[in-house]
Amino acid sequence: MAGFFDKVKEKISSLMDESGDSAFIADVKKRAAALNKHIVLPEGEDARAVRAASEAAKQKIARVTLLGNREEIEKANPDVDLTGVTIVDPAKSEKRAEYAALLYALRKAKGMTEEEADKLSYDNTYFGVLMVKAGDADGLVSGACHSTANTLRPGLQIVKAAPGVPLVSSCFLMVAPEEGNQYCKDGVFVYSDCGLNENPTSEQLSDIAIISAKTAEKIAGLEPKVAMLSFSTKGSAKHADVDKVTAALALAKEKAPDLDIDGEMQLDAAIVPSVAKSKAPGSKVAGHANVLIFPDLDAGNIGYKLTERLGGFQAVGPICQGFAKPINDLSRGCKWQDIVATVAITALQAQM
């Protein structure tokens, strides 16, 4: 028995680099490091963000700015080496007044006063997003100790969606725990939308599918095969929820005719070849899907957490899709390693 467990540990360790990363995450970091992007972390009050800033700088994944009071950060994290990390206190920054003026210019039509803009410019998250908007940083990662709304509201108000992108959505990269997982030949799935849009319409679902395929290609390095998930496969059930998914599929095919996408289908038909043969014969996607589009936030959130907790996959995200410049929200249950991985992904998005 001991020999068996030794072999298992040896197999897992062979997939990890010296920092404990999977081969997939190590490759993401390597690609990000080549870009030399500048990423801002607003949560200097959170020990995980501080450690992540240190590690990202040490591994040269990106140039990192951490927001907060230097003395307080160093006092609270005496064992963390912050060499190579730029620390900026918004309250003392020479840029703050400039950013307040920028915020006022962007929001005055919505009723924001100069006084309100000035007050918000002291907030770490608003300050960080304004850095990105002004071109002083390439992207932002936040949310370790703040709500999704606290991170995304400034992003939507200031950076906004990219031209031609009708909505901002989110996805998770679900990294398989071991090479050769029988249902994850590529080593990673893209799950969407698992963190933002509660009950997307057919139109919104089609847009989520298309942008998630781009994330799969540009960030995960996949040749996207997109499955529109449902509790029905190819008309096996009749319901308004099924109709929403089939309508989304038709719209996605119209908008992106070259995309490998199919549905509606159940999860097993999407990823299990033997099931796909009986439930969706002739489909190029069924049995081989690597981008899974969930019909609503209930299904997506439950699905990614089941995969993470019971399947042993690493959940990287939520990764926001559709901002004009990358703004990424973290799970409040994240580890510092997750923040480092998200910094790398944000750098790759900045290149997109």
Side-chain angles (χ1 to χ4, degrees), residues 90-91 96-97 99-101 103-104 112-127 130:
R96 192 199 58 75
Y99 291 160
L103 178 58
Y104 173 65
M112 182 174 286
T113 66
E114 290 184 82
E115 291 76 14
E116 289 170 335
D118 186 74
K119 182 178 179 180
L120 284 172
S121 68
Y122 284 91
D123 178 88
N124 282 14
T125 306
Y126 271 91
F127 186 94
L130 286 162

Side-chain angles (χ1 to χ4, degrees), residues 303-351:
Y304 102 78
K305 288 183 177 178
L306 278 171
T307 306
E308 179 185 26
R309 300 298 180 179
L310 299 185
F313 280 60
Q314 179 187 4
V316 181
I319 298 163
C320 293
Q321 309 173 120
F323 277 116
K325 296 182 179 181
I327 306 287
N328 276 314
D329 179 41
L330 298 162
S331 167
R332 277 177 280 178
C334 67
K335 302 183 289 292
W336 68 261
Q337 294 93 333
D338 299 325
I339 303 176
V340 175
T342 305
V343 166
I345 288 166
T346 305
L348 294 180
Q349 287 180 305
Q351 183 70 6

